[in-house]
Amino acid sequence: MTGRWLGLLLLFRALATGVAVALLAAHRVTPQDELLMAVVVAYATVTAALLVRWTRLATSRFLWTVDIATTGALLWFSGDWRSPFYLLCLTALALPAAALGRNGAALLGAAATVAFAAIARVIGPDPLDLGTQASIETLATHLILPGLVCLGIGSAAEVMRQLEVARSRTERLAIEAERRRIAWELHDSAKQRIHAAHLLLSALGDPDGGRVGQLVGLAVDELRAASADMDTSLAELRAPLEGRPLDQALRERVGQLAQAGGPHVHVAGELDGLSALQTAHAYRVAGEALTNAIRHADARTIRVDLEARDGEAVVTVGDDGRGMPETTRPGATGLLAMRNRAATIGGRLSIGRGYGDRGTQVQLSFPLTENQEPRP
């Protein structure tokens, strides 16, 4: 929500600044028109640069107060309530109105109307001394606009928030339904077939002690490993993620995978506010990397880092084990599935050397949405 209204603020602030400068250049308003033009252009440029560089300032009540006070001061120094800076004052109401909700925005609009009426009464010309119909209409418009702007933006922001909640809930329900469907299909078909094939091959034993026996033994081992992998996948599919942050879900997964005498696994950092889709895919990618590291890397230490930087969520799983094999096992689809999951959420997967220039590091990066901010 903040990003949408921030973009709107920057657009209308640029337009309001242009209108103010054009009106000041067209005719004299005060003896210090040139100075006021320089101040308003500098102020609009600096505030825009700050908000673009640090978008979290858009939710700062201190910044709102400073912005409203500064634009109000420009209106005051112009010495006329019909000032070219009136539109600039209205733009200062956009971000607080969007963040405060419908009721808060209505109160803000009422307060802005009262404040403007007081300023108009003090700086003049006297708004009560109206000689023409046009003057009356101008004053009425100036008094009504703050309330309309605040109420309109507040109502629109409220609707957007409700739509976002509904979209997120629909997304979670769709993921839950698909997760259960896949779990049922895997358990009722593929896992049963693997189990049956394992029993049949085990019954063969070692018929001649030669090449065939070796191949049967290898096939049994592969089926045992496939069954274990499928059990892991089924456990993950049946584990609900809804309502749990990513770091908590991964810590619980580490507890499930922990082995006596196995590597030490540490999960560090937090990522809040991810969508259900992002959380699900990030969890599956990190879970696959964790499983591979614990089972195959012969590592002493595995570290999972969650962080937000430069507008992206970054999930890193690194170990100090023996690294990736030079050749991929035939039929292995884990890496392909991880890359596909990364692409699904608009992210990318990179694989390199692990901690201490040993082992393997799997890193998933994907963009944070505009509502997502890391916890301090």
Side-chain angles (χ1 to χ4, degrees):
M1 185 276 297
T2 300
R4 296 189 186 99
W5 294 114
L6 178 56
L8 187 66
L9 167 67
L10 296 177
L11 172 63
F12 282 103
R13 175 146 295 183
L15 292 174
T17 301
V19 168
V21 170
L23 290 176
L24 288 172
H27 64 279
R28 301 294 295 183
V29 177
T30 74
Q32 300 86 25
D33 281 0
E34 292 77 9
L35 177 60
L36 285 176
M37 281 192 287
V39 169
V40 72
V41 170
Y43 180 73
T45 302
V46 170
T47 53
L50 288 175
L51 288 169
V52 170
R53 178 64 181 85
W54 293 288
T55 56
R56 295 183 71 180
L57 289 175
T59 59
S60 168
R61 293 176 183 266
F62 175 74
L63 180 70
W64 299 344
T65 303
V66 171
D67 197 28
I68 292 173
T70 303
T71 54
L74 287 169
L75 176 65
W76 181 284
F77 285 121
S78 70
D80 192 325
W81 58 265
R82 299 161 299 187
S83 167
F85 301 116
Y86 176 75
L87 292 179
L88 197 64
C89 290
L90 291 182
T91 65
L93 303 175
L95 290 179
L100 293 175
R102 185 183 292 110
N103 294 335
L107 291 175
L108 176 66
T113 296
V114 172
F116 175 75
I119 291 175
R121 184 71 178 86
V122 172
I123 67 175
D126 189 350
L128 301 179
D129 185 17
L130 303 171
T132 66
Q133 181 69 24
S135 298
I136 297 174
E137 292 175 352
T138 300
L139 176 62
T141 300
H142 280 62
L143 291 175
I144 290 173
L145 271 179
L148 290 179
V149 167
C150 290
L151 188 58
I153 291 178
S155 298
E158 192 73 29
V159 170
M160 287 183 180
R161 278 189 284 267
Q162 292 172 358
L163 289 175
E164 183 66 22
V165 170
R167 184 199 63 78
S168 179
R169 184 172 184 274
T170 300
E171 188 178 77
R172 287 197 301 271
L173 291 174
I175 291 174
E176 174 71 11
E178 181 66 8
R179 183 174 57 77
R180 290 182 177 180
R181 183 189 67 79
I182 294 173
W184 288 336
E185 289 183 357
L186 285 175
H187 183 272
D188 294 342
S189 57
K191 188 174 187 300
Q192 299 304 322
R193 289 178 180 274
I194 288 177
H195 184 61
H198 181 269
L199 291 176
L200 290 172
L201 286 174
S202 298
L204 287 176
D206 189 355
D208 57 6
R211 179 64 175 167
V212 174
Q214 293 178 1
L215 291 177
V216 169
L218 290 174
V220 169
D221 290 340
E222 285 294 316
L223 286 173
R224 186 182 294 112
S227 181
D229 288 343
M230 187 164 290
D231 285 338
T232 297
S233 297
L234 286 170
E236 291 178 349
L237 284 169
R238 288 167 177 159
L241 292 174
E242 290 76 5
R244 291 187 299 164
L246 180 60
D247 59 286
Q248 180 184 339
L250 287 174
R251 287 187 175 93
E252 292 179 7
R253 183 62 182 146
V254 166
Q256 296 169 357
L257 292 172
Q259 302 172 353
H264 172 70
V265 185
H266 178 63
V267 180
E270 299 164 331
L271 281 171
D272 278 345
L274 301 183
S275 71
L277 188 67
Q278 289 174 321
T279 301
H281 284 296
Y283 174 76
R284 304 303 176 199
V285 169
E288 176 75 15
L290 268 172
T291 301
N292 291 338
I294 290 174
R295 290 183 178 173
H296 309 301
D298 194 22
R300 291 178 298 176
T301 302
I302 302 172
R303 183 180 175 90
V304 183
D305 290 305
L306 310 176
E307 59 181 326
R309 59 179 186 231
D310 299 327
E312 285 192 326
V314 182
V315 180
T316 306
V317 180
D319 65 72
D320 59 358
R322 58 191 175 193
M324 293 283 290
E326 295 183 2
T327 58
T328 304
R329 180 171 57 86
T333 59
L335 286 178
L336 178 60
M338 292 162 73
R339 294 189 188 280
N340 288 339
R341 287 186 182 279
T344 299
I345 54 177
R348 60 189 182 279
L349 188 77
S350 61
I351 300 175
R353 301 290 291 177
Y355 298 106
D357 201 31
R358 294 186 58 196
T360 305
Q361 175 177 283
V362 178
Q363 187 171 88
L364 168 67
S365 304
F366 56 93
L368 286 167
T369 63
E370 59 194 20
N371 286 328
Q372 296 162 356
E373 297 289 349
R375 276 189 278 195

